[in-house]
Amino acid sequence: MKEIILLKDGEIVLKGLNRRSFEDVLKKNIKFALKGTGRYEVTSAQSTIYVRPMSDDCDIDEAFERAKRVFGIAALCKAAVCDEKTMESVLESAPVYLEKKLKSVKTFKVEAKRSDKQFPLKSPEICRELGGKLLEIFPHLTVDVHNPELIVYVEIRDFGAYIHCNPEKGAGGIPVGTSGRAAILISGGIDSPVAAYMMAKRGIRLTAIHFASPPYTSRRAEEKVVRLLQKVSRYSGSMTMYTVPFTKLQEKIKNDCPEELFTIIMRRLMMQISEKIAIDNDCQALITGESLGQVASQTIGALGCTDEATDMLVFRPLIGMDKQEIIDISYKIDTYETSIEPYEDCCTVFTPKHPRTRPVLRCVKEAQENAGFDELVAEALDNLKVTKISANDD
Ligand code: ATP
Ligand code: MG
């Protein structure tokens, strides 16, 4: 029996006149996510995207798992395609396709959706006929319309008749690429991969920026960031990662700035360097994993000083979240175990014993100007390392 994947559009159904272009991006993203699992035809009609296997080597189960991570989809299911769009064909296909599931439950009901109004039977009649047939073939079953263990769905659409059950929740959000591009400042911690995921969910295509300070930070730390981004890219699609050589800048902060301002000046330099990389890569915003009050550099005063360093829009999607809420998402997107691997981040190099939690912007700017970082910033920007991060290669 032929099987396809049906994907129900999510928020894009609200997009009015722009809907077509959102759907086009979504279809492209689905095709990309399914790469390597076989050849498919991807089409859309009536708020549904149809993924039809076109070659014998299609791994439809793997394709389904990948489709679950594509933003813009509210729900999805695998479905059997009836040989013909007739009631006879529905009655023939359903018991075969759902045999295993029907044998494992005691109660069920049939729901029919008939968007092709030419079909000779109306929805209640389809339900009655198929319900009767299933009761006949599986005598252990009873119908429970209020609280069934299994709902058998029959969809009579323009292009055919489909049977399925157990639709699963999709990834939600809107398709990656429909909200522009932004640069995620990614560390090896728990928070920034979650921030990247959250903005990709709102349709942002990502560029990644990582600051490394060898030999204070190791190659393993950078490799860990690559692995984190590979996990994120299963949702966001592929991206480019820029590694900024940050050692000389951090050493200069240590030598030429007041100790209690080390962290805040480092954060400002990160924003300033990131802004330049972001502009060169057509990004319209920066993204960080900051959360209000989490550490000394994330108090309202410290964030004010950090924010002032750039004119660019900064997204901080975790700003109002508790650590546990962030951890819950990191479990869900499977970054948690990688994030807690114990490698040094440049943020933990030269940390002051008593960081200012209420830095005065004027003093911070003065200290930064007196030290003078322009030459080293230019040098760091001349020595960026570029790594291509691709989904599906982990
Ligand atoms: P995370 O878990 O994301 O590391 P954190 O709670 O450890 O966050 P900080 O280390 O103060 O917080 O960093 C705040 C934010 O600054 C991070 O979420 C990230 O966006 C950015 N950041 C920190 N270190 C780096 C780095 N080495 N490279 C790029 N961005 C960084
Ligand atoms: Mg960190």
Side-chain angles (χ1 to χ4, degrees):
M1 193 172 306
K2 264 200 251 155
E3 205 176 27
I4 64 169
I5 303 175
L6 297 178
L7 311 153
K8 310 271 173 184
D9 288 355
E11 253 183 71
I12 55 177
V13 296
L14 308 172
K15 294 290 175 210
L17 291 177
N18 285 334
R19 181 165 165 181
R20 265 293 292 281
S21 62
F22 276 78
E23 237 168 19
D24 287 345
V25 176
L26 179 55
K27 282 190 278 187
K28 226 168 99 188
N29 291 352
I30 291 168
K31 278 186 204 159
F32 188 83
L34 266 44
K35 258 190 184 162
T37 71
R39 234 163 25 84
Y40 302 86
E41 181 191 61
V42 180
T43 56
S44 58
Q46 298 165 312
S47 306
T48 301
I49 295 193
Y50 295 72
V51 176
R52 294 185 182 84
M54 299 299 280
S55 57
D56 291 337
D57 61 343
C58 285
D59 183 347
I60 195 162
D61 292 331
E62 173 64 16
F64 188 70
E65 289 308 309
R66 294 207 194 162
K68 274 199 233 171
R69 296 190 288 260
V70 176
F71 292 126
I73 295 163
L76 65 167
C77 61
K78 281 179 261 180
V81 186
C82 299
D83 289 339
E84 289 169 47
K85 202 163 73 174
T86 60
M87 197 59 217
E88 290 70 40
S89 191
V90 168
L91 293 176
E92 215 173 286
S93 308
V96 178
Y97 184 58
L98 300 176
E99 182 183 359
K100 245 196 179 149
K101 292 205 170 99
L102 287 163
K103 280 186 171 163
S104 70
V105 298
K106 292 202 175 65
T107 59
F108 79 105
K109 76 168 171 180
V110 179
E111 275 191 15
K113 200 167 133 193
R114 170 176 162 268
S115 39
D116 172 9
K117 302 297 176 204
Q118 308 295 319
F119 195 73
L121 279 78
K122 299 224 164 72
S123 296
E125 293 163 340
I126 300 172
C127 293
R128 217 173 311 126
E129 284 220 15
L130 180 59
K133 181 80 177 181
L134 295 177
L135 286 170
E136 197 182 299
I137 301 178
F138 303 99
H140 72 285
L141 288 175
T142 49
V143 172
D144 180 346
V145 287
H146 300 298
N147 198 14
E149 283 175 76
L150 188 81
I151 303 177
V152 175
Y153 295 92
V154 180
E155 297 201 29
I156 310 292
R157 291 174 169 261
D158 289 350
F159 304 111
Y162 308 96
I163 290 156
H164 60 92
C165 64
N166 297 344
E168 292 191 38
K169 235 176 117 188
I174 52 178
V176 169
T178 58
S179 294
R181 183 183 281 278
I184 171 74
L185 278 70
I186 182 101
S187 70
I190 295 170
D191 304 332
S192 41
V194 172
Y197 160 84
M198 286 182 69
M199 295 319 299
K201 186 172 182 179
R202 296 313 302 163
I204 291 280
R205 195 165 281 293
L206 300 171
T207 294
I209 302 174
H210 175 64
F211 291 81
S213 289
Y216 307 106
T217 60
S218 66
R219 267 203 42 182
R220 303 281 295 274
E222 199 184 323
E223 282 162 15
K224 171 183 164 182
V225 174
V226 170
R227 278 185 284 126
L228 282 171
L229 287 175
Q230 277 167 351
K231 299 258 182 190
V232 171
S233 70
R234 302 198 303 172
Y235 294 89
S236 68
S238 50
M239 66 181 106
T240 303
M241 165 181 161
Y242 293 91
T243 305
V244 183
F246 206 40
T247 317
K248 287 185 189 168
L249 284 144
Q250 280 200 283
E251 284 173 342
K252 189 169 179 62
I253 297 172
K254 180 171 182 281
N255 294 330
D256 297 352
C257 297
E259 185 184 338
E260 68 276 14
L261 299 181
F262 281 2
T263 314
I264 202 75
I265 291 175
M266 180 193 70
R267 310 270 324 129
R268 284 174 59 86
L269 286 167
M270 280 187 174
M271 299 306 260
Q272 286 163 346
I273 292 170
S274 297
E275 178 188 282
K276 296 225 161 57
I277 299 171
I279 290 169
D280 281 350
N281 284 276
D282 295 324
C283 296
Q284 294 154 284
L286 301 176
I287 305 165
T288 75
E290 289 158 317
S291 166
L292 188 63
Q294 199 188 76
V295 287
S297 59
Q298 295 172 30
T299 61
I300 194 166
L303 286 173
C305 286
T306 306
D307 208 54
E308 199 271 348
T310 174
D311 288 331
M312 204 170 230
L313 173 63
V314 181
F315 290 136
R316 296 181 171 90
L318 313 186
I319 198 71
M321 290 173 71
D322 293 348
K323 193 73 189 186
Q324 191 55 50
E325 291 170 322
I326 300 168
I327 289 174
D328 289 347
I329 299 178
S330 78
Y331 270 119
K332 189 175 98 176
I333 64 172
D334 195 30
T335 53
Y336 182 77
E337 294 297 336
T338 311
S339 287
I340 60 169
E341 288 174 18
Y343 300 114
E344 197 87 337
D345 181 55
C346 69
C347 281
T348 47
V349 177
F350 312 138
T351 39
K353 278 197 204 74
H354 302 290
R356 266 286 144 80
T357 52
R358 291 191 205 172
V360 177
L361 180 61
R362 184 179 47 80
C363 303
V364 174
K365 285 176 81 166
E366 242 171 54
Q368 190 179 341
E369 267 156 37
N370 289 342
F373 290 96
D374 291 356
E375 266 176 40
L376 288 182
V377 165
E379 190 185 322
L381 285 167
D382 280 342
N383 289 287
L384 298 175
K385 183 174 136 197
V386 183
T387 310
K388 295 281 172 199
I389 308 284
S390 177
N392 309 329
D393 62 6
D394 54 340

